[in-house]
Amino acid sequence: MQQLLNRTPMLKPGMHVDTQCPFCSVQCKIRLTRQEAVPGERKPSYIVEGIPNKASEGRVCVKGMNAHQHVMSGERIVQPLVRVNGKLEPATWEEALGRIVDSFTSVTEEHGADAIGLYGGGSLTNESAYLLGKFARIGLGTRYVDYNGRFCMSAAASAGVKTFGIDRGLTCRLEDIPKAQCLILAGTNIAECQPTLMPYLTRAKENGATIIVIDPRVTGTSELADLHLQIRPGTDAGLANGLLKAVQLGGWMDEAFIKERTNGIEELLKHLETVSLAEIAELTGLEQSLIEKAAEQYGRAETGIILTARGVEQQTDGHVAVRNFLNLVLATGKIGKPGCGYGAVTGQGNGQGGREHGQKADQLPGYRLIENEEDRRYVAGVWGVEPDSLPRKGVSAYEMMELVHQGAIRSLFVMGSNPIMSNPNADLVEEALEKVEFLAVADLFLSETARLADVVLPVTAYLENDGTLTNLEGRVLLRESKVEAPGEARHDWSILCDLAARLGKADYFSFHSAEQIFEELRIATKGGVADYYGITYERLRREGGVYWPCPSVDESPGTGIMFEKRFAHPDGKAVFFPVPSRQPQELPDEEFPLTLTNGRVLSHYLTGVQTRRSATLAARNVDNFVEIHPKTAKAYKIEDGDWVEIRSRRGAFSVRCKISAGILENTLFVPMHWGGAQNVNKATSPELDPNCKMPGFKTATVSIRALKASLM
């Protein structure tokens, strides 16, 4: 395959660009400066510095320090590619876009618009996410659009909506963390996933806070903790019941807050009558005294914050597990004031904004709902179409892959995502994408998914495109760039505009800049739950960041602390919800005696498409691995560094063994950043949470065997 080789130099010697890290949800601001050329060196060198802002405070982690490397990678796609005689070959934009439009048109004519699917990503800017949802609804008329953030935030998002009436990553500000007297970190490894937030935790500890970490592994985060609850995977909802019971028995419920600002306490108290601390201890594998101690620390504290992440949320009961931790927040009244609150620690760079503006199956911009008639009328009015012309809600990301596998979705367009690796039951997903009638992918690289595509479109990287992103605390940030893209790469949003024009919908997509798209987004979100109307590029340039909801264009910085006076339900009250304690979705048996959980490592991001193209980051973790307890390794005659095969009911993968006493004896941990034979999601379960359609990534039961010299 021949690629277009001409490249625009990123920066001239001595020049710098101020930008924003493309990776995690902190969205650290950074300055990239090209150093003066050194005689004899073949490649230019760069200095990366943090720029102080209210989130990262000027810090940059190892991923941000090396993010520019993948942008300059020789593996960048710099010209459209089309499949000719089974191989991807360079093509013109005219030919590539023409093939996509031909597929969309013929499929619609023969099978209807719902035979087309759009699959987005949580790293797209707000502008691109907004336009992708709009393109699905009025460019194509399909109901099938969703995104990989479904696997990141859906459990916490749906729990927040049901409990508070609104979903925002943090109900407080990052600056509130050092003010908390007790912090519960449930299923979140901030030290590796959002490392620039760690100083907030260390400052809290210096101020006398008790830090409680809930995690089946010993991690960099748990090493900071005063209490580490090394929980059995999949029993988080039960642990929350135990904490609630102990708080009730200790008399630490805030009765005045409960009476004035909540509904449903009677049902919760009735449920707690059935909860036994001894049974919770047995279920979770924890000492009862440890549960009681954690409850006392949180219950007695005047201020406290609970943070959850994928460890709690990526379960088939993730929605109710989060709701049970929210029960704990409400029962103690620790919300709506400085040093208090709840937060879901978002994984993706725009995981928060990505789910607010319409690329999720059931949503319209501003967190409006596509099945709500008033919401449909409002957004249709902004777009200049009839409400009845908007399709109804579709299905979740993994369910889309099932429809592709079944042949119901015949043409699929993927933008900024790698579903072969991010979905559970990866073998089925790969099989689906191999046999789909037409697959188009817009990406920086030939990802595992793009390699199967009929058309691949080169897109701009974070250093090359403008747009807004919303960080984990609901702060909207502007990322601008003056760096030219290499070759023929185009912005995501401009590709969508071009496709819409070729489909006869140019009047609805006549945008010439990201800021122009944002101006329409402001109007589309006005009066919605996620109201961006008061935010403008001018304000973002001047102020550095603005919280949503922000309904006014005055100098108000938006809403930093949520729910100071009322919650977002019509009556202004939050809602308790009794949650049963239950066993994990899969239980070990003779054939599959171990529990597999997955997660992340410091040097990589999501499916590794970008970080594995960074020489510095890739060198830190060359291959995937399984973390296994020494006693378990001994029982299976496995030595440190051995290649092993891990098999579940869905499929198998192979990785190297890493023996660690920091993992539970009957539990295996494998990172999620590698594809092919090392893809952990070949083994994970496709069972979905009935409330939010989150897959149960964390509790697959598996077997393990040493491969020894056969693969070394």
Side-chain angles (χ1 to χ4, degrees), residues 3 53 111 171 182 206 214 277 358 410 430 474 575 608 612 702:
Q3 277 264 20
N53 73 340
H111 304 285
T171 68
C182 183
E206 289 166 359
I214 302 168
L277 282 171
R410 296 169 177 266
E430 184 169 0
V575 180
R612 284 186 279 120
V702 296

Side-chain angles (χ1 to χ4, degrees), residues 11 52 102 247 264 293 462 482 507 577 620 637 692:
L11 291 172
D102 287 346
V247 163
K293 186 175 181 181
Y462 79 102
K482 297 179 176 63
D507 289 346
F577 182 76
R620 292 171 65 96
K637 297 180 173 58
C692 63

Side-chain angles (χ1 to χ4, degrees), residues 623-645:
D623 288 316
N624 204 358
F625 62 89
V626 56
E627 202 171 273
I628 184 172
H629 193 276
K631 291 184 179 179
T632 309
K634 184 177 180 180
Y636 288 90
K637 297 180 173 58
I638 294 170
E639 297 179 3
D640 195 55
D642 281 354
W643 280 96
V644 296
E645 179 191 74

Side-chain angles (χ1 to χ4, degrees), residues 174-436:
L174 290 171
E175 65 191 68
D176 285 297
I177 291 176
K179 301 173 185 176
Q181 293 180 6
C182 183
L183 290 152
I184 296 179
L185 311 179
T188 176
N189 182 13
I190 289 174
E192 294 200 64
C193 300
Q194 294 85 18
T196 56
L197 295 185
M198 286 299 284
Y200 286 106
L201 300 177
T202 56
R203 287 207 297 272
K205 190 159 185 174
E206 289 166 359
N207 292 339
T210 298
I211 296 179
I212 301 167
V213 168
I214 302 168
D215 198 308
R217 302 170 59 224
V218 173
T219 67
T221 308
S222 70
E223 289 175 350
L224 182 68
D226 299 280
L227 293 175
H228 179 197
L229 308 185
Q230 202 165 359
I231 190 174
R232 180 185 174 204
T235 61
D236 302 271
L239 174 58
N241 274 329
L243 295 171
L244 277 164
K245 180 73 170 185
V247 163
Q248 180 197 27
L249 293 175
W252 302 309
M253 287 189 168
D254 188 333
E255 295 182 4
F257 179 91
I258 292 169
K259 181 179 179 180
E260 295 171 9
R261 302 199 57 192
T262 69
N263 291 318
I265 187 60
E266 296 82 6
E267 292 82 0
L268 181 69
L269 292 176
K270 185 176 180 180
H271 164 65
L272 290 179
E273 291 176 3
T274 68
V275 174
S276 161
L277 282 171
E279 291 176 357
I280 295 297
E282 183 177 358
L283 172 70
T284 59
L286 299 170
E287 294 292 332
Q288 180 176 329
S289 61
L290 197 58
I291 299 172
E292 292 170 334
K293 186 175 181 181
E296 180 176 3
Q297 292 294 325
Y298 181 73
R300 284 187 178 276
E302 291 185 10
T303 56
I305 296 173
I306 295 179
L307 302 177
T308 66
R310 308 305 82 74
V312 172
E313 299 157 19
Q314 286 182 330
Q315 315 269 4
T316 55
D317 69 342
H319 168 87
V320 294
V322 174
R323 290 199 72 176
N324 220 11
F325 280 102
L326 298 186
N327 284 337
L328 186 59
V329 172
L330 296 177
T332 58
K334 292 184 175 66
I335 194 165
K337 53 190 177 183
C340 292
Y342 162 76
V345 185
T346 316
Q348 297 193 74
N350 200 30
Q352 177 72 57
R355 66 183 184 273
E356 295 167 0
H357 301 305
Q359 68 169 334
K360 194 161 168 274
D362 59 345
Q363 287 177 354
L364 290 169
Y367 238 129
R368 289 182 160 94
L369 298 177
I370 202 163
E371 294 294 335
N372 180 287
E373 296 304 322
E374 183 179 344
D375 289 350
R376 291 169 64 86
R377 282 193 297 272
Y378 180 83
V379 174
V382 175
W383 288 348
V385 299
E386 291 298 319
D388 289 345
S389 70
L390 297 178
R392 295 288 170 170
K393 71 177 180 179
V395 299
S396 69
Y398 178 73
E399 290 172 310
M400 281 181 62
M401 293 299 102
E402 291 182 319
L403 291 177
V404 173
H405 193 267
Q406 295 161 14
I409 292 177
R410 296 169 177 266
S411 184
L412 183 68
F413 185 87
V414 177
M415 178 167 274
S417 194
N418 188 17
I420 281 181
M421 283 186 59
S422 59
N423 276 262
N425 201 13
D427 286 341
L428 179 141
V429 175
E430 184 169 0
E431 188 176 299
L433 296 183
E434 285 175 341
K435 70 179 186 180
V436 70

Side-chain angles (χ1 to χ4, degrees), residues 518-592:
F518 190 80
E519 286 301 302
E520 183 176 289
L521 180 153
R522 290 178 58 229
I523 305 300
T525 66
K526 185 178 182 180
V529 173
D531 191 336
Y532 279 44
Y533 178 70
I535 306 172
T536 65
Y537 271 37
E538 181 183 353
R539 284 195 66 183
L540 294 174
R541 291 185 184 108
R542 185 174 66 248
E543 300 173 32
V546 180
Y547 291 108
W548 73 259
C550 184
S552 173
V553 292
D554 62 19
E555 294 302 310
S556 166
T559 308
I561 297 179
M562 303 284 285
F563 317 130
E564 289 183 291
K565 295 181 179 179
R566 57 180 286 119
F567 291 94
H569 288 300
D571 64 359
K573 294 187 176 184
V575 180
F576 284 107
F577 182 76
V579 176
S581 303
R582 63 161 231 179
Q583 294 283 354
Q585 69 189 84
E586 289 188 350
L587 293 175
D589 56 23
E590 186 174 340
E591 185 178 6
F592 301 107

